[in-house]
Amino acid sequence: MNDFPWLTMIVVFPISAGSLMLFLPHRGNKVNKWYTICICILELLLTTYAFCYNFKIDDPLIQLSEDYKWINFFDFYWRLGIDGLSIGTILLTGFITTLATLAAFPVTRDSRLFHFLMLAMYSGQIGLFSSRDLLLFFIMWELELIPVYLLLSMWGGKKRLYSATKFILYTAGSSLFLLIGVLGISLYGSNEPTLNLELLANQSYPITLEILFYIGFLIAFAVKSPIIPLHTWLPDTHGEAHYSTCMLLAGILLKMGAYGLVRINMELLPHAHSMFSPLLMVVGTIQIIYAASTSPGQRNLKKRIAYSSVSHMGFIIIGISSITDPGLNGAILQIISHGFIGAALFFLAGTSYDRIRLVYLDEMGGMAISIPKIFTMFTILSMASLALPGMSGFVAELIVFFGIITSQKYFLISKILIIFVMAIGMILTPIYLLSMSRQMFYGYKLINVKNFSFFDSGPRELFLSISILLPIIGIGIYPDFVLSLAIDKVESILSNYFYG
């Protein structure tokens, strides 16, 4: 047990500080914005300090653990703790949320509520990544739904109510499977029902029951990740949401599903995962091809970027289902890498929309002359998304490739087939990303528009773009910085549950 409740403080601080915004002046938009940014920066500094001084990288066990009795009647505990798997996602959450609040400066309508919802999401996401109790995991999972629904339905585009309803139906429906799985796993196998992840990880179940639990959890995480065919809410949600909400969705929300797959499906249900991994491998491979070939048909700029997210999540699924050290490490690196790249592309798409008020790519063109800074950043980040060497996406995808090649689980012919199909997907990726840049920035369309004048990237936007670009290049050049956090935890998962 830790002396000081660092994690409780980190989880509770954003939502409790956000609640104080109710006492701020209603019309003081700037006050709300700066207050929120200060909370986010303070939280990020607090998290970094706590991890730097209290987290030991070479220890695969749970650290900074806290365990308090919460509800006596249910025997329900407030259990928090972090390990190499969760530390990267928590720091990513802090970084992306801070930049998303900075990106939300143009929001003026009901800015108090808007910023409070962002802070509520912040608490929920960190709570999920650090929870060591299954029911607490579920509560934090649910805490995301209402803020995202409100952010979509109140600050979205023309079809915002449709996309918000679709989002809540998909995610709330999948949460039911998660709840059934949580209750089923906790009640089975002992006289004393337990929700403690440590104890559950050492429990064994009859194979039929394990498969049923696995399917329940898989449906919940497949919707959030998203895994095809449960992905259709994502393009609609991204197409209508405000771009600061898109940054949180692409940067963090999708990663919650992938995190759940490793944390619960892999750690708690290893036999079922071993059985289902070939199916997941096939689905992940199809997903890369499907999303990469569907993306060029999207006229809406944000929907096109959303399909690129679906394609990139395919690599994470493949890495998780390879059941090898490089595969799982590559999947974790891809979670972090895509968190940065996805958030950056949606931010730049949003800043472009702020200037030209156009959503459809076939109406755009010729913007490179007028906004060269945005054009430059967009081009660089598109290259990062198509896995250019020297960028984080390249390293992550390369390590996933190694994971498949070294996997003992699959026959040589199936490995060759998977790699061949993935390679086709990687060839299709530059096609839709480069055609997107061409339609937006090249040609002569906007030069002929009357009263055509808009300014280039301001200091705030330039700072934001560079802040996201630096870690993308940093991870691309020195991936060991991220890999070293999780490498021992990955080894312990694989040795204890698959080779032990």
Side-chain angles (χ1 to χ4, degrees), residues 124-135:
Q125 285 155 347
I126 290 182
L128 180 108
F129 292 133
S130 57
S131 61
R132 301 299 307 157
D133 183 280
L134 264 185
L135 195 58

Side-chain angles (χ1 to χ4, degrees), residues 129-372:
F129 292 133
S130 57
S131 61
R132 301 299 307 157
D133 183 280
L134 264 185
L135 195 58
L136 185 61
F137 183 94
F138 174 74
I139 289 166
M140 294 298 178
W141 182 270
E142 290 294 279
L143 188 60
E144 294 297 297
L145 298 189
I146 303 303
V148 177
Y149 176 76
L150 291 173
L151 286 167
L152 258 174
S153 56
M154 292 177 70
W155 289 274
K158 288 176 185 172
K159 294 182 183 174
R160 59 183 181 273
L161 289 174
Y162 164 76
S163 61
T165 309
K166 194 170 182 179
F167 167 80
I168 206 83
L169 285 173
Y170 265 84
T171 47
S174 69
S175 297
L176 192 63
F177 289 96
L178 182 63
L179 181 61
I180 293 166
V182 165
L183 295 175
I185 251 183
S186 64
L187 294 170
Y188 177 80
S190 59
N191 301 326
E192 290 277 317
T194 181
L195 291 153
N196 189 336
L197 274 168
E198 254 73 20
L199 298 175
L200 290 170
N202 297 317
Q203 231 175 30
S204 57
Y205 309 92
I207 194 68
T208 315
L209 196 64
E210 193 168 321
I211 288 167
L212 286 171
F213 288 151
Y214 190 92
I215 291 168
F217 286 124
L218 182 62
I219 291 168
F221 300 141
V223 169
K224 205 75 148 218
S225 288
I227 298 172
I228 59 168
L230 302 172
H231 69 288
T232 55
W233 64 271
L234 183 78
D236 289 318
T237 303
H238 275 312
E240 299 304 320
H242 185 269
Y243 58 88
S244 57
T245 312
C246 284
M247 288 173 73
L248 295 177
L249 281 168
I252 308 155
L253 203 78
L254 306 188
K255 312 302 171 277
M256 287 162 60
Y259 175 81
L261 271 176
V262 181
R263 176 65 78 204
I264 293 179
N265 286 37
M266 267 190 104
E267 272 204 84
L268 266 55
L269 309 163
H271 303 297
H273 183 74
S274 197
M275 289 169 67
F276 275 87
S277 54
L279 176 68
L280 278 176
M281 182 72 81
V282 172
V283 171
T285 313
I286 293 168
Q287 182 159 329
I288 292 168
I289 291 286
Y290 164 78
S293 52
T294 312
S295 187
Q298 301 300 317
R299 289 176 62 225
N300 185 316
L301 170 62
K302 287 202 284 186
K303 280 191 180 181
R304 187 173 286 199
I305 298 169
Y307 270 104
S308 79
S309 288
V310 176
S311 181
H312 283 106
M313 294 307 283
F315 284 98
I316 296 171
I317 300 157
I318 287 170
I320 290 169
S321 52
S322 70
I323 315 184
T324 57
D325 273 352
L328 191 50
N329 276 309
I332 292 163
L333 191 61
Q334 178 75 335
I335 287 172
I336 306 295
S337 161
H338 182 259
F340 290 121
I341 294 169
L345 284 174
F346 278 112
F347 168 68
L348 289 167
T351 53
S352 306
Y353 175 76
D354 279 349
R355 285 158 175 75
I356 56 172
R357 295 285 158 191
L358 294 173
V359 177
Y360 296 110
L361 284 160
D362 46 15
E363 295 170 359
M364 299 180 191
M367 283 156 55
I369 299 161
S370 309
I371 44 174

Side-chain angles (χ1 to χ4, degrees), residues 481-492:
F481 175 68
V482 175
L483 290 169
S484 62
L485 296 173
I487 200 156
D488 288 307
K489 179 62 185 173
V490 166
E491 273 180 27
S492 78

Side-chain angles (χ1 to χ4, degrees), residues 353-406:
Y353 175 76
D354 279 349
R355 285 158 175 75
I356 56 172
R357 295 285 158 191
L358 294 173
V359 177
Y360 296 110
L361 284 160
D362 46 15
E363 295 170 359
M364 299 180 191
M367 283 156 55
I369 299 161
S370 309
I371 44 174
K373 289 176 192 165
I374 293 176
F375 163 62
T376 307
M377 294 308 295
F378 214 112
T379 307
I380 293 168
L381 286 156
S382 294
M383 294 297 166
S385 186
L386 61 83
L388 189 79
M391 305 280 197
S392 58
F394 172 75
V395 189
E397 290 176 18
L398 187 69
I399 297 172
V400 170
F401 267 110
F402 279 130
I404 300 164
I405 293 163
T406 56

